[in-house]
Amino acid sequence: MSATSLDEAVALTKKFTSKPSNEELLKLYSLYKQATEGDNTSERPGGFDFVAAAKYNAWLALKGKEKDEASSEYIELVNTLAGKYM
């Protein structure tokens, strides 16, 4: 099974039978946010919320990437991960 659209890819991630690595999850998160919202314009999280900071930084690293390109990369990554986690 493979996804051909962003919506299909999101649905496919919900069928994973085991959890991807933290690095893979960050990549999925950042590509999804870039594909759906564009560049990160939110405020940097403060304090000791390391998870929020990691997510923020991963998304910020994609600044300037076109939504269509991020969407394609997200779909490709989900299809690759599906082979490992389904």
Side-chain angles (χ1 to χ4, degrees):
M1 175 181 250
S2 65
T4 57
S5 72
L6 189 62
D7 289 339
E8 287 178 8
V10 170
L12 191 55
T13 63
K14 295 177 186 343
K15 295 179 181 178
F16 288 1
T17 56
S18 58
K19 184 178 174 184
S21 71
N22 287 338
E23 182 179 318
E24 291 164 335
L25 289 171
L26 273 176
K27 189 69 175 168
L28 285 169
Y29 171 83
S30 61
L31 285 169
Y32 178 81
K33 293 295 274 186
Q34 190 70 21
T36 57
E37 296 183 32
D39 289 343
N40 184 350
T41 58
S42 62
E43 284 192 32
R44 182 177 299 277
F48 293 98
D49 192 345
F50 300 114
V51 172
K55 290 169 121 180
Y56 176 91
N57 290 333
W59 183 14
L60 190 65
L62 298 180
K63 184 174 184 169
K65 185 180 292 282
E66 294 294 325
K67 286 182 177 184
D68 288 345
E69 184 181 353
S71 180
S72 294
E73 288 181 26
Y74 179 87
I75 293 165
E76 185 178 324
L77 179 58
V78 168
N79 287 333
T80 300
L81 295 177
K84 287 172 67 174
Y85 299 109
M86 286 185 70

